[in-house]
Amino acid sequence: GSSPSTGFYSARISSGFSVFRVLRVGLGSSYTLITQFSAPDNSTFGNRRGDRWAVVSPTLGVQLGRLTLSAYYEFMGDYVLSNKDPGGNDLRFKSPNGYCIDLLFRAGRHFALGLEYQQVSFSKQVLGGTETTLQTKMQTTSYGLIFSLEL
């Protein structure tokens, strides 16, 4: 099947504590703007432009020297499309289930660079105020660069 060409721009805040100086356990929250570069095609994938808020994500990380590998489990929040459907209804996806993995290299005392991979599927949609369970889950997949500022 086809999929749209999209861009994801995220901001995340997280807090946690270290266990044995190597393991980090905590909670995070992220907000993502999603833009679509390809034209919407209602016969295959439609519009995907919108925003996403992962309200709370449990976090587990491992720090080895200047490298940090972190995983976030995403199960709360929603994905709201910015454009209405052809009938003029708002569309929102709910009940996320997925993960995000970050690999960061500490480039300075408070600054790190890295890579991110995220995959989240949504099992419910709300169209014009009516909530339904999707037969085929709506899935988003993204990957890219991270610039991290740690305070």
Side-chain angles (χ1 to χ4, degrees), residues 10 104 111-114 145-149:
S10 298
L104 292 169
F111 183 69
L113 301 171
L145 300 174
I146 302 172
F147 303 98
S148 175
L149 178 62

Side-chain angles (χ1 to χ4, degrees), residues 29-32 51-56 76-79:
S29 181
S30 65
Y31 179 79
T32 303
D51 62 275
R52 201 172 161 263
W53 183 31
V55 181
V56 175
M76 295 178 70
D78 59 5
Y79 172 19

Side-chain angles (χ1 to χ4, degrees), residues 4-9 31-41 45-52 79-85 90-93 138 140:
S5 174
T6 55
F8 287 64
Y9 306 95
Y31 179 79
T32 303
L33 289 174
I34 301 168
T35 188
Q36 184 168 326
F37 303 116
S38 55
D41 178 357
F45 53 76
N47 171 56
R48 293 292 180 253
R49 183 174 289 122
D51 62 275
R52 201 172 161 263
Y79 172 19
V80 180
L81 297 185
S82 58
N83 296 338
K84 297 183 183 302
D85 77 349
D90 291 322
L91 178 58
R92 174 167 69 108
F93 295 97
M138 207 295 285
T140 63

Side-chain angles (χ1 to χ4, degrees), residues 25-126:
V25 178
L27 295 173
S29 181
S30 65
Y31 179 79
T32 303
L33 289 174
I34 301 168
T35 188
Q36 184 168 326
F37 303 116
S38 55
D41 178 357
N42 291 328
S43 67
T44 54
F45 53 76
N47 171 56
R48 293 292 180 253
R49 183 174 289 122
D51 62 275
R52 201 172 161 263
W53 183 31
V55 181
V56 175
S57 301
T59 305
L60 184 62
V62 176
Q63 186 168 350
L64 300 170
R66 298 177 88 171
L67 286 177
T68 302
L69 179 65
S70 298
Y72 302 85
Y73 174 58
E74 299 195 8
F75 67 99
M76 295 178 70
D78 59 5
Y79 172 19
V80 180
L81 297 185
S82 58
N83 296 338
K84 297 183 183 302
D85 77 349
N89 297 305
D90 291 322
L91 178 58
R92 174 167 69 108
F93 295 97
K94 293 176 53 177
S95 298
N97 184 25
Y99 62 92
C100 179
I101 297 173
D102 295 345
L103 178 62
L104 292 169
F105 174 78
R106 185 172 302 283
R109 185 172 180 193
H110 298 288
F111 183 69
L113 301 171
L115 301 172
E116 177 175 271
Y117 178 82
Q118 181 183 63
Q119 188 172 53
V120 180
S121 62
F122 297 84
S123 61
K124 294 184 179 181
Q125 76 174 15
V126 180

